[in-house]
């Protein structure tokens, strides 16, 4: 089997823990041991791909087996495109995973209100569904002016999203087209 | 990209134009640098001297919006100096085709122009046809009506003096770029182009790219390792979201959206399935009916039958000739035509051209749904600058979604690689993966349609196949398999048996009779009996070209370099024997292709003894004629690219013709759509761009302290000369104003920008990044798109945000 650089690092890491580093003039073992005690100790590695530009650099997320939280992210050294390198954005992946400014509750803003209110998913999805149905049924064009069947919802529009995974994009477009939307647009257009 | 990121390292000349790759696609420079260290010249053409310029061997400044003049001059140089690859042009492009008598070009206008409708009659651009139904050709390229000769005539006007006077590029720089790039016209060398929004965001965006594609064809650079036309796409999955048809004009897999005049699937297939009388043309789109039937089967499952045309009538139909693009969408929203708006992972209050029009438009809605990770200017438009929430009736639902490491699924990079991502943690709080939100929302909608016996046209809603849940959660694997496609019954194809429920191994096996489903034919093979090919992590590189064919998976059918049949000569030998993408190898009397997955397995056009092989196919298999289009009679604004000024420009005359701007550019007419050309109140060219540390409108970067600290607020870059003229010092607050909006920005006075000499006059250009918005950080500034015009390319309707007119002044304190 051909060793990848990552495998090599793992093996050489294990080896140095057991060997005196005679050639190096001082003993790195305590430093090494300490660093291994750090956040990535026992962490689970999951490969992912950067969410920003479409170079598609590989990133490894380290997840603490104790907390289930991402504790560290780094470039995927095995990835043939980036070979472990990341630009400033990809290198900041950790701050997407751990960021106290993330929105963590559904928010609702009533007509003419000045503030957001927190809502439950259940209430929210039901309310949105009602509005989708009402708008769709009210704006549905079964036949156009020439009498041709068009089965189209003219009152709801959608933008987004290059931020979704492929599987989500496909599912999303299926839903929109089943509802009859034709104004379907996203980032690729701008 | 026709090629892919790693392939840049194989190039013999790298032209970066319409892109600042070093700052906006930074890791691409791993491969640019690798090529450069091996002796490949790197050229950067850009209005600003950026970090890409600093790395380049040649930098040439250009006034924003004049790329066709620059590239047209290169076409003239290539032809005048005999740098083109004649054999390639004659055999693999339509350069030898004879154009019909109705075609003409006079003083900036092509034949067939209707000034009232601002539209061309493209039928006047047709080829001359022979009695056998094939275009007339002259492979010597000497017939005065052949494409090559018409091309030569068309660009004869683009001499160095004229080009330099338009672009503001010094003549020496033009020549240096032309000479260096044209050197790749020899058979065994390939040059590549790396471009991005600097080319697309213009009213001549498509023609910018076509112009370069023509150069690549003249030089024989398509299909080769280190060649191609390479769009550096800006969002991690904008390739995938395009492939999957989240656009008004296409269904998944680039199947045109059906229009009202196509009432039946038979009519649709007739219109969109091209025919070819050339036995050497693979005419791949002849398979379109199989892809449409398979898509409808995956959407509507058992309800889709051959008898009901696979529920084709359920697909919404657009009005013939009407566009429903981004610009149209916000224009209609501004005119109060919609009640509901779904905004999924996007921030149009900052990302859209003429952003204030979009912000106003959203106040005309009854309700909107915003899905995002962080607060943003779209979700909170009702409390934006100058807005009184009490006056805004729009209800807003903000749905918090998971980040990319909080769910599983694939994304497709610019090189068309579908790459699988894994879940590393749960989303915070009550945030949910987008897939779960979509599933749950539609379940709720569907429940209402089930209850209501009077509901409007419930069939597609009730019958949509929607079984993508495992253990109560959205299951990306199950959708990925549906996208790949299944056999829907037991079948035998070419002596091989497939069982109902088997995954289809490749799109070559998709059928038009309902016996297969495939959510997107282009992704057929991504998830097969072998497993999830997008998750592969093997690093074999047998060709040494960096194809990494077993790392992830790429469309189509894992072909890493598309049009690769053009990388070999008529006998199947690589034009460049040192970097063979594919090669025809004969062993024991049997021939086969080695290397990358070829664009079809047919043998080469000629046998070893030079006789024609009638089993072969021409290399550009997606084109009905089998060859690439130097003469592009499908573009809305002309078969040859022609220089026109941006709709807002600093000059009153176009020295190349009487036509100042693109005669068919998309324009809109609301009170918010103000365009000013040569207005002394807006004397400077403005442009927008990005910085390394932020991304798009900044929604996913402004909230990250590490990134915000590096680039904390809006700035405007200007030359020392302009700053002196306006009394602005480096670090001062400046006001930048266009006919549409006004911004405050920190002035960066820099040598990176220099005034241009255009038609003998000094023209200044200023630039701003468009990453900022009023929600965060405080005093970070607002979107540069408050300045940009909502005018668009006639083909794509992408807005012209890279060239417009502004004024700058010092902010008095
Ligand atoms: S790390 Fe940088 S270059 Fe790589 S994909 Fe992310 S944004 Fe693009």
């Amino acid at each position: 089997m051909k060793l990848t650089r990552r495998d090599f690092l793992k093996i050489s890491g294990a080896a140095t823990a057991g060997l005196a580093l005679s050639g190096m003039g001082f003993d790195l073992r305590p430093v090494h041991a300490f660093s291994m005690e750090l956040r990535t100790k026992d962490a689970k590695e999951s490969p992912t791909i950067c969410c920003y530009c479409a170079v598609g650099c590989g990133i490894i997320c380290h997840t603490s087996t104790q907390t289930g939280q991402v504790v560290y992210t780094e470039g995927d050294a095995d990835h043939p495109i980036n070979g472990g390198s990341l630009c400033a954005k990809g290198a900041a992946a950790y701050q997407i995973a751990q960021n106290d400014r993330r929105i963590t509750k559904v928010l609702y803003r009533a007509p003419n209100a000045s503030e957001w209110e927190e809502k439950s998913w259940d209430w929210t999805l039901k309310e949105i569904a009602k509005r989708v149905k009402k708008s769709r049924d009210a704006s549905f064009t079964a036949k156009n002016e020439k009498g041709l069947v068009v089965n189209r919802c003219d009152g709801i529009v959608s933008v987004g999203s290059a931020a979704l995974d492929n599987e989500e994009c496909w599912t999303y477009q299926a839903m929109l087209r089943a509802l009859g939307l034709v104004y379907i647009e996203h980032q690729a257009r701008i | 990209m026709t090629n892919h990121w790693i392939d840049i390292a194989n190039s013999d000349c790298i032209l970066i134009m319409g892109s600042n790759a070093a700052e906006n696609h930074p890791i691409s420079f791993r491969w640019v640098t690798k090529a450069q260290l091996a002796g490949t010249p790197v050229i950067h053409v850009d209005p600003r001297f950026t970090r890409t310029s600093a790395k380049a061997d040649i930098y040439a400044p250009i006034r924003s919006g004049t790329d066709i003049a620059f590239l047209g001059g290169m076409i003239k140089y290539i032809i005048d100096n005999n740098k083109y690859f004649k054999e390639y042009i004659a055999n693999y492009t339509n350069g030898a085709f004879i154009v019909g008598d109705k075609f003409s070009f006079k003083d900036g206008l092509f034949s067939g122009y209707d000034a009232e409708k601002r539209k061309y009659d493209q039928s006047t651009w047709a080829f001359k046809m022979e009695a056998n139904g094939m275009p007339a050709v002259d492979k010597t390229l000497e017939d005065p009506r052949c494409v090559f000769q018409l091309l030569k005539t068309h660009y004869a006007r683009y001499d160095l003096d004229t080009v330099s006077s338009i672009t503001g590029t010094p003549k020496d720089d033009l020549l240096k770029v032309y000479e260096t790039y044209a050197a790749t016209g020899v058979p065994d060398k390939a040059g590549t182009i790396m471009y991005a929004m600097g080319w697309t965001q213009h009213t001549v965006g498509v023609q910018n790219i076509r112009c370069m594609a023509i150069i690549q064809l003249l030089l024989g650079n398509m299909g080769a390792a280190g060649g191609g036309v390479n769009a550096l796409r800006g969002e991690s999955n904008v390739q995938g979201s395009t492939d999957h048809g989240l656009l008004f004009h296409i269904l998944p897999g680039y199947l045109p959206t059906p229009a009202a005049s196509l009432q039946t699937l038979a009519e649709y297939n007739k219109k969109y399935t091209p025919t070819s009388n050339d036995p050497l043309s693979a005419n791949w789109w002849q398979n379109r009916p199989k892809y449409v039937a398979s898509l409808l089967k995956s959407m509507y499952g058992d309800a889709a039958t051959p008898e009901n045309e696979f529920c084709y009538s359920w697909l919404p139909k657009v009005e013939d000739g009407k566009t429903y693009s981004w610009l149209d969408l916000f224009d209609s929203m501004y005119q109060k035509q919609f009640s509901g708006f779904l905004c999924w992972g996007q921030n149009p209050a900052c990302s859209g051209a003429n952003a204030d029009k979009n912000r106003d438009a959203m106040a005309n809605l009854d309700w909107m749904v915003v899905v995002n990770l962080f607060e943003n200017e779209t979700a909170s438009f009702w409390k934006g600058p100058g807005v009184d929430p009490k006056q805004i009736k729009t209800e807003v639902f903000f749905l918090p979604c998971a980040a990319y490491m909080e769910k599983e699924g694939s994304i497709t990079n610019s090189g068309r690689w579908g790459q699988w991502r894994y879940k590393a943690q749960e989303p915070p709080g009550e945030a949910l993966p987008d897939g779960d939100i979509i599933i749950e929302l539609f379940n709720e909608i569907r429940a209402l349609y089930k209850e209501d016996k009077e509901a409007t046209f419930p069939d597609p809603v009730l019958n949509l196949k929607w079984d993508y849940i495992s253990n109560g959660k959205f299951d990306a694997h199950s959708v990925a398999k549906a996208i790949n496609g299944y056999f829907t019954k037991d079948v035998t194809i070419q002596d091989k048996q497939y069982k109902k429920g088997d995954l289809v191994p490749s799109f070559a096996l998709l059928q038009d009779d309902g016996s297969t489903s495939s959510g997107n034919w282009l992704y057929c093979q991504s998830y097969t009996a072998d497993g999830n090919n997008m998750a592969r992590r093997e690093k074999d590189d047998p060709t040494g070209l960096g194809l990494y064919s077993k790392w992830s998976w790429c469309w189509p059918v894992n072909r890493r370099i598309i049009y690769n049949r053009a990388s070999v000569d008529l006998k199947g030998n690589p034009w460049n024997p040192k970097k063979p993408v594919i090669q025809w190898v004969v062993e024991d009397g049997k021939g086969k292709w080695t290397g990358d997955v070829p664009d079809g397995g047919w043998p080469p056009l000629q046998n070893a003894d030079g006789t024609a092989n009638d089993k072969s196919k021409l290399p550009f298999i997606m084109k009905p004629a089998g060859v690439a289009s130097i003469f592009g009679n499908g573009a809305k604004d002309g078969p040859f690219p022609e220089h026109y000024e941006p709709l807002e420009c600093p000059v009153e005359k176009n020295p190349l013709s009487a036509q100042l701007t693109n005669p068919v550019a998309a324009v809109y007419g609301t009170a918010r759509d103000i365009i000013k050309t040569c207005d002394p109140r807006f004397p400077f060219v403005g442009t927008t761009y990005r910085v390394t540390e932020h991304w798009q409108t900044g929604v996913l970067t402004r909230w990250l302290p590490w990134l915000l600290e590096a680039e904390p607020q809006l700035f405007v870059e200007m030359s020392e000369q302009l700053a002196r003229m306006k009394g602005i010092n480096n670090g001062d607050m400046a006001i930048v104003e266009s006919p549409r909006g006004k911004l405050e920005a920190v002035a960066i006075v820099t040598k990176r920008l220099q005034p241009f000499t255009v038609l003998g006059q000094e023209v200044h250009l200023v630039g701003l990044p468009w990453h900022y918005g009023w929600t965060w950080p405080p005093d970070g500034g607002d979107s540069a798109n408050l300045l940009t015009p909502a005018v668009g390319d006639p083909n794509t309707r992408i807005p012209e945000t890279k060239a417009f007119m502004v004024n700058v002044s010092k902010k008095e304190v």
Side-chain angles (χ1 to χ4, degrees):
Chain A
M1 195 189 94
K2 225 176 103 188
L3 282 183
T4 65
R5 185 171 150 239
R6 200 166 182 80
D7 293 325
F8 176 74
L9 288 177
K10 272 185 205 150
I11 292 166
S12 67
T16 49
L19 284 176
L21 294 166
S22 51
M24 297 184 87
F26 59 95
D27 188 349
L28 271 173
R29 275 173 301 180
V31 180
H32 187 77
F34 175 69
S35 72
M36 293 305 276
E37 285 293 326
L38 288 178
R39 292 188 286 181
T40 51
K41 182 171 182 260
D42 298 332
K44 181 173 174 281
E45 295 180 16
S46 324
T48 189
I49 304 293
C50 177
C51 71
Y52 296 109
C53 86
V55 172
C57 296
I59 294 177
I60 301 284
C61 294
H62 297 260
T63 305
S64 159
T65 43
Q66 270 101 53
T67 62
Q69 292 296 301
V70 170
V71 288
Y72 182 62
T73 58
E74 61 177 330
D76 182 346
D78 279 341
H79 198 287
I81 294 175
N82 63 312
S85 308
L86 295 172
C87 79
K89 292 185 293 296
Y94 173 74
Q95 289 201 326
I96 290 270
Q98 301 299 329
N99 190 311
D100 58 13
R101 306 304 293 259
R102 289 273 298 273
I103 307 289
T104 58
K105 283 241 162 63
V106 175
L107 302 176
Y108 171 69
R109 184 262 176 185
N112 310 97
S114 301
E115 295 300 331
W116 291 109
E117 301 163 48
E118 290 184 359
K119 292 285 186 188
S120 73
W121 275 108
D122 189 51
W123 178 88
T124 305
L125 293 179
K126 285 198 160 64
E127 291 300 314
I128 297 171
K130 279 187 220 162
R131 284 159 185 74
V132 168
K133 180 163 186 298
K134 191 175 157 210
S135 291
R136 177 183 180 272
D137 290 0
S139 68
F140 200 80
T141 310
K143 286 192 178 168
N144 70 5
E145 283 171 8
K146 291 188 191 138
L148 298 167
V149 176
V150 292
N151 288 332
R152 178 173 81 208
C153 164
D154 282 317
I156 307 177
V157 300
S158 166
V159 304
S161 178
L164 298 186
D165 289 352
N166 283 322
E167 296 71 26
E168 294 168 332
C169 287
W170 193 89
T171 312
Y172 186 53
Q173 71 80 32
M175 169 177 92
L176 298 177
R177 294 198 159 106
L179 290 169
L181 267 68
V182 285
Y183 281 98
I184 300 172
E185 284 284 277
H186 84 285
Q187 282 89 341
R189 191 77 67 193
I190 57 172
Chain B
M1 291 170 108
T2 57
N3 295 39
H4 59 104
W5 296 105
I6 296 169
D7 183 63
I8 295 166
N10 293 321
S11 190
D12 297 300
C13 185
I14 299 171
L15 172 60
I16 307 174
M17 187 164 171
S19 150
N20 173 12
E23 292 180 67
N24 295 335
H25 296 86
I27 301 303
S28 70
F29 256 67
R30 263 192 100 200
W31 305 105
V32 174
T33 308
K34 190 171 174 205
Q36 198 174 27
L37 290 174
T40 294
V42 177
I43 305 170
H44 191 219
V45 181
D46 200 271
R48 269 190 318 151
F49 188 90
T50 67
R51 281 189 264 185
T52 303
S53 327
K55 285 287 222 163
D57 299 289
I58 301 170
Y59 167 70
I62 181 175
R63 173 169 64 95
S64 188
T66 63
D67 301 71
I68 292 173
F70 192 108
L71 296 175
M74 174 135 51
I75 293 176
K76 177 173 165 58
Y77 177 91
I78 290 168
I79 296 176
D80 288 354
N81 295 281
N82 215 353
K83 298 285 185 187
Y84 53 92
F85 186 174
K86 190 170 170 193
E87 199 182 345
Y88 188 104
I89 299 169
N91 291 295
Y92 294 166
T93 79
N94 65 14
F97 287 22
I98 311 293
V99 177
D101 294 339
K102 284 191 194 151
F103 171 75
S104 67
F105 174 77
K106 280 192 203 95
D107 209 9
L109 286 175
F110 295 91
S111 49
Y113 186 59
D114 180 334
E116 211 167 291
K117 292 193 184 134
R118 287 175 58 80
K119 220 179 145 176
Y120 280 109
D121 171 4
Q122 289 159 297
S123 70
T124 66
W125 310 337
F127 293 117
K128 184 174 164 195
M129 300 304 274
E130 300 280 20
N132 62 5
M134 307 219 308
V137 292
D138 172 23
K139 288 209 175 180
T140 68
L141 308 182
E142 272 158 24
D143 187 300
R145 291 294 290 181
C146 83
V147 166
F148 182 77
Q149 291 298 328
L150 291 176
L151 181 82
K152 184 174 171 179
T153 312
H154 188 85
Y155 291 105
R157 297 165 294 144
Y158 289 61
D159 60 83
L160 277 184
D161 287 310
T162 309
V163 170
S164 174
S165 75
I166 294 170
T167 59
T169 314
K171 278 197 280 182
D172 286 352
D173 291 343
L174 287 172
L175 258 182
K176 241 190 284 171
V177 175
Y178 294 171
E179 276 169 20
T180 311
Y181 199 77
T184 65
V186 293
D188 62 350
K189 291 216 180 315
T192 190
I193 170 64
M194 297 167 68
Y195 77 89
M197 310 317 283
W199 267 2
T200 58
Q201 289 174 336
H202 292 281
T203 44
V204 291
V206 163
Q207 298 288 8
N208 282 335
I209 295 150
R210 269 197 39 74
C211 208
M212 189 67 209
I214 290 171
I215 290 171
Q216 291 297 67
L217 293 170
L218 291 176
L219 300 173
N221 286 338
M222 295 304 291
V229 171
N230 293 300
L232 316 187
R233 305 207 67 177
E235 304 234 358
S236 59
N237 197 33
V238 73
Q239 186 62 56
S241 52
T242 303
D243 300 337
H244 292 309
L246 277 173
L247 290 163
F248 88 86
H249 69 297
I250 43 170
L251 306 175
Y254 302 91
L255 308 174
T257 304
S261 63
L262 306 170
Q263 289 280 288
T264 65
L265 179 58
E267 287 169 307
Y268 175 92
N269 281 336
K270 183 154 189 279
K271 169 143 188 197
Y272 290 120
T273 309
T275 53
S276 172
N277 291 313
D278 188 344
L280 287 178
S281 169
N283 185 25
W284 197 265
W285 279 120
Q286 68 175 291
N287 296 303
R288 182 154 359 234
K290 302 172 184 171
Y291 307 152
V292 183
S294 298
L295 167 66
L296 288 167
K297 276 303 280 181
S298 61
M299 282 180 73
Y300 291 112
D302 292 340
T305 64
E307 292 69 41
N308 67 15
E309 292 199 304
F310 309 109
C311 306
Y312 171 81
S313 67
W314 291 355
L315 283 178
K317 310 291 181 300
V318 294
E319 288 302 311
D320 291 82
K322 181 169 155 77
T323 51
Y324 299 74
S325 75
W326 176 276
L327 291 177
D328 301 293
L329 186 157
F330 282 100
D331 194 63
S332 297
M333 191 189 288
Y334 183 84
Q335 297 183 57
K336 309 189 178 172
Q337 287 180 22
F338 310 127
S339 50
F341 176 36
L342 305 170
C343 183
W344 214 293
Q346 201 167 1
N347 187 16
C350 289
S351 61
N354 200 3
D356 240 354
K357 181 178 169 186
N358 297 358
R359 294 178 186 187
D360 279 1
M362 290 187 283
N364 295 334
L365 297 160
D366 292 340
W367 56 268
M368 62 191 258
V369 177
V370 176
V371 188
N372 219 307
L373 277 74
F374 295 99
E375 192 192 349
N376 58 72
E377 292 71 22
T378 300
S380 297
F381 82 94
W382 44 272
K383 54 174 173 173
V387 182
D388 175 7
K390 288 187 201 67
Q391 305 301 318
I392 309 286
K393 62 161 177 139
T394 312
E395 273 182 299
V396 187
F397 299 86
F398 188 115
L399 312 184
C401 60
Y404 62 109
M405 67 283 278
E406 294 158 4
K407 60 186 182 185
E408 211 180 332
S410 71
I411 58 170
T412 304
N413 78 359
S414 226
R416 298 166 284 105
W417 296 16
Q419 305 196 86
W420 199 257
R421 306 197 284 200
Y422 295 86
K423 179 173 172 176
Q425 70 175 18
E426 291 297 331
E430 294 178 13
L432 285 177
D434 298 273
D436 289 282
I437 303 174
I438 296 163
I439 294 284
E440 297 297 328
L441 175 60
F442 192 67
N443 285 344
E444 295 291 350
I445 296 170
R446 176 129 83 179
L448 297 180
Y449 277 85
K450 268 196 196 131
E451 272 165 31
D452 179 5
K453 300 293 167 233
E454 314 274 275
T456 303
F457 199 58
D459 298 0
V461 181
L462 296 178
N463 286 290
L464 182 66
K465 209 166 163 303
W466 206 244
D467 51 357
Y468 308 120
I469 303 262
S470 300
N471 303 319
K473 299 258 178 238
F474 175 76
D475 179 358
H477 292 271
S478 121
V479 181
K481 288 182 206 168
I483 290 172
N484 178 85
Y486 294 102
F487 289 97
T488 61
K489 51 174 116 152
D490 296 355
V491 287
T492 306
I493 303 170
Q494 287 160 4
D495 296 334
K496 227 182 146 212
Q497 289 195 333
Y498 300 94
K499 290 243 159 309
K500 178 180 178 173
D502 285 355
L503 290 159
V504 181
S506 146
F507 57 61
L509 297 171
L510 293 175
Q511 306 295 324
D512 62 4
D513 59 0
S515 60
T516 55
S517 71
S518 173
N520 188 335
W521 70 277
L522 270 181
Y523 282 73
C524 191
Q525 198 195 63
S526 61
Y527 207 126
T528 62
D530 296 335
N532 180 356
N533 290 323
M534 296 175 286
R536 295 184 302 173
R537 284 177 68 89
E538 282 175 55
K539 288 184 71 175
D540 311 9
D541 182 22
T543 63
L545 293 177
L547 299 177
Y548 293 103
S549 303
K550 291 180 180 170
W551 183 279
S552 73
W553 175 87
C554 90
W555 69 255
V557 287
N558 208 32
R559 182 175 301 133
R560 303 278 157 152
I561 296 179
I562 53 182
Y563 311 127
N564 57 25
R565 287 175 67 100
S567 72
V568 295
D569 66 17
L570 303 187
K571 295 193 173 84
N573 302 313
W575 298 119
N576 180 357
K578 289 202 196 104
K579 292 173 186 167
V581 183
I582 58 166
Q583 187 160 12
W584 184 253
V585 186
V586 183
E587 269 169 27
D588 304 329
K590 272 194 83 177
K592 64 163 192 185
W593 292 105
T594 60
D596 194 9
V597 178
D599 258 318
W602 311 282
L605 288 160
Q606 288 181 358
N607 300 307
D609 60 6
T611 54
N613 187 334
D614 60 11
K615 292 199 186 69
S616 184
K617 298 288 174 201
L618 289 159
F620 289 86
I621 62 171
M622 305 312 281
K623 305 294 288 181
V627 294
S629 303
I630 288 178
F631 190 80
N633 46 18
K636 292 207 163 71
D637 43 359
F640 289 134
E642 171 68 2
H643 167 71
Y644 303 113
E645 287 290 327
L647 283 206
E648 277 190 347
C649 60
V651 296
E652 279 170 315
K653 253 188 65 194
N654 175 359
L656 286 167
S657 78
Q659 189 62 39
L660 183 65
T661 58
N662 189 338
V664 293
V667 289
Y668 296 84
T670 73
R672 274 283 192 194
D673 290 288
I674 314 161
I675 308 290
K676 300 272 182 216
T677 280
C678 295
D679 183 322
R681 287 171 298 172
F682 306 103
F684 311 122
V685 178
T687 194
T688 62
Y689 47 82
R690 305 200 281 122
V691 301
T692 304
E693 293 79 4
H694 284 297
W695 186 67
Q696 318 302 48
T697 68
V699 177
L700 292 185
T701 53
R702 277 186 266 140
W703 300 93
L704 277 52
W706 294 338
L707 297 176
L708 186 63
E709 184 176 341
E711 290 286 357
Q713 81 247 94
L714 180 68
F715 57 82
V716 52
E717 275 185 89
M718 64 186 77
S719 69
E720 291 171 343
Q721 293 88 331
L722 176 60
R724 217 173 297 130
M725 190 162 95
K726 303 296 287 186
I728 298 172
N729 294 310
N730 194 32
D732 283 351
M733 279 310 277
I735 294 179
V736 191
E737 208 173 342
S738 86
R740 295 156 294 274
K742 193 174 176 177
L743 283 170
E744 290 184 12
V746 177
I748 296 187
V749 179
T750 172
K751 291 190 190 336
R752 292 189 294 264
L753 279 176
Q754 294 288 334
F756 297 93
T757 307
V758 177
L759 300 174
Q761 298 216 331
E762 193 172 68
V763 170
H764 294 275
L765 180 144
V766 302
L768 311 90
W770 59 282
H771 303 299
Y772 297 95
W774 59 268
T775 58
W776 189 260
D779 306 322
D782 209 336
S783 173
N785 276 317
L786 294 170
L787 307 176
T788 57
V791 296
D793 176 275
N795 301 284
T796 61
R797 306 225 152 205
I798 290 178
E800 188 158 64
T801 51
K802 287 290 172 273
F804 50 93
M805 299 304 291
V806 296
N807 189 23
V808 286
S809 52
K810 182 173 170 164
K811 189 190 172 194
E812 300 304 336
V813 275

